[in-house]
Amino acid sequence: MTVQELAQRLARWTASKTLSQMSVEDRLILLDCVNSAVFNWFVTAPENLRMTTISHLIRAKETISFTATNGGNDMTGASLQDYHLGAALEIAGEKNMNEIVSVSGTPKMLNQFRGSTGSVSASVHFDTIMLTDHSVNRLVSHPRVLDTGVTLFRDEDGLRFVGPERRMRAFSGILGTTAASSSVQTFGDPTRYVLENTGVSQKDEARLMVRLDPIPDKEMTVVFDAVLDPPSHDLTDMDGSVAVAVPDQYVLPHVLPLALSDLVMTPIWEGSKEERDATIQRGISAIAAINRAMQPNRGSPSNYVRTRPGY
């Protein structure tokens, strides 16, 4: 079922009676009801119905140029896309590896620029996978590099809170030791990963990402299984053939009653008080129906007494 078809079923209970006659404000109310119902279905349904395989392309190194100011974080003149967010930034003449933490407006880097004000060149190393771009709630499997067949291991001790700099090992040995060549960044095929956050400290969108190590030195594809967060539809989805982000067989018995139970609490509801009360009760019952009707494990069947193997 499409978002438009579901919204039309909701519109029957409004003064407009049809989606095409509704104002933008009223359509937004319907959209909120749809998104709320989809969210409630996702958080109630068995987790296996929210699992999928994510395939992410790690891009090859890029060379960029921009104007930097001594003591500043702005990357003036750099034209960056969303996929640059979180990437390691190696600025010519700078000792420390930096990180791209914002790509909206004037892009920003995490650490203040310590060189002379002026135009600089830098290499962008794509060593992160932005999980929030894929609507990932949690990882189900360790990431695997298709190009090498290597399954990465999660190294919290060696990589957590280190960022793109990756010099933690210089401080984890005997007290008084100094940084050695083994503590600097390495480039090649990744063998490990860690989960990191970005954006919050820079008043940007909060993001969760996977950082790979060693830093990839070429283009490669990484795959992993993950549980997804509930998706969110927008107004444009009401105008075309965009499907509701729930399997068709569950839209009418589950999502529609949930959406209607939200609609009755809005100013555009036109039903009677009795219909309002009944609709709210159907929405409550839908939550129980999701738990009752949907199986948490759809794998190998269980054998029962006097049945053939596999049944």
Side-chain angles (χ1 to χ4, degrees):
M1 182 180 293
T2 66
V3 177
Q4 186 181 55
E5 291 170 337
L6 178 58
Q8 180 58 54
R9 284 172 166 82
L10 298 177
R12 296 171 183 167
W13 294 92
T14 69
S16 300
K17 300 302 180 185
T18 178
L19 189 62
S20 60
Q21 300 299 318
M22 299 186 77
S23 65
V24 173
E25 290 79 6
D26 289 351
R27 288 162 68 94
L28 280 171
I29 292 176
L30 290 190
L31 182 65
D32 290 343
C33 295
V34 170
N35 282 328
S36 176
V38 170
F39 177 88
N40 286 324
W41 187 90
F42 261 74
V43 298
T44 308
E47 193 177 65
N48 62 297
L49 289 176
R50 298 189 282 127
M51 291 183 187
T52 190
T53 299
I54 302 294
S55 177
H56 182 86
L57 175 66
I58 300 294
R59 299 171 183 268
K61 178 181 71 174
E62 285 185 8
T63 300
I64 64 173
S65 60
F66 55 90
T67 299
T69 303
N70 180 267
N73 300 88
D74 289 348
M75 302 167 60
T76 306
S79 179
L80 304 182
Q81 306 299 319
D82 195 61
Y83 61 79
H84 288 93
L85 188 63
L89 185 67
E90 186 178 18
I91 303 175
E94 285 275 279
K95 176 182 178 181
N96 300 321
M97 186 81 80
N98 218 316
E99 179 184 341
I100 300 172
V101 294
S102 179
V103 296
S104 58
T106 300
K108 298 183 184 298
M109 49 189 164
L110 178 64
N111 305 317
Q112 291 182 348
F113 179 63
R114 293 161 56 178
S116 300
T117 299
S119 179
V120 298
S121 62
S123 296
V124 179
H125 301 281
F126 296 97
D127 60 339
T128 58
I129 301 172
M130 201 61 64
L131 296 181
T132 39
D133 286 349
H134 296 288
S135 299
V136 169
N137 179 275
R138 72 175 184 89
L139 299 184
V140 176
S141 67
H142 293 297
R144 181 167 59 92
V145 182
L146 284 184
D147 302 70
T148 62
V150 172
T151 298
L152 310 182
F153 72 95
R154 185 171 175 176
D155 188 2
E156 294 283 343
D157 293 334
L159 292 175
R160 194 178 185 194
F161 304 131
V162 180
E165 188 54 34
R166 294 176 175 85
R167 284 185 176 156
M168 183 175 178
R169 284 170 291 179
F171 306 100
S172 60
I174 300 173
L175 185 64
T177 57
T178 58
S181 59
S182 62
S183 70
V184 299
Q185 304 90 359
T186 56
F187 299 84
D189 293 326
T191 58
R192 58 182 182 161
Y193 74 99
V194 72
L195 297 182
E196 289 187 4
N197 298 284
T198 189
V200 180
S201 63
Q202 302 297 319
K203 297 184 179 180
D204 204 346
E205 180 183 351
R207 307 269 188 140
L208 178 67
M209 62 186 180
V210 170
R211 189 174 298 279
L212 310 176
D213 188 77
I215 300 171
D217 59 352
K218 55 184 175 293
E219 187 177 81
M220 60 186 64
T221 299
V222 177
V223 296
F224 54 90
D225 282 5
V227 174
L228 298 184
D229 276 327
S232 182
H233 295 289
D234 55 39
L235 270 180
T236 59
D237 295 345
M238 282 186 166
D239 299 327
S241 57
V242 177
V244 177
V246 171
D248 276 351
Q249 64 268 33
Y250 301 123
V251 175
L252 289 180
H254 298 160
V255 178
L256 180 58
L258 289 172
L260 283 171
S261 66
D262 283 333
L263 183 63
V264 300
M265 307 304 293
T266 69
I268 64 174
W269 169 265
E270 284 290 311
S272 65
K273 181 182 183 302
E274 291 74 18
E275 290 170 330
R276 179 191 301 270
D277 294 341
T279 301
I280 292 175
Q281 187 57 48
R282 282 196 295 270
I284 296 173
S285 300
I287 295 293
I290 295 173
N291 290 315
R292 183 176 62 251
M294 303 177 68
Q295 298 299 316
N297 183 1
R298 300 192 180 198
S300 301
S302 299
N303 292 323
Y304 294 93
V305 177
R306 301 182 64 83
T307 58
R308 299 196 309 273
Y311 288 83

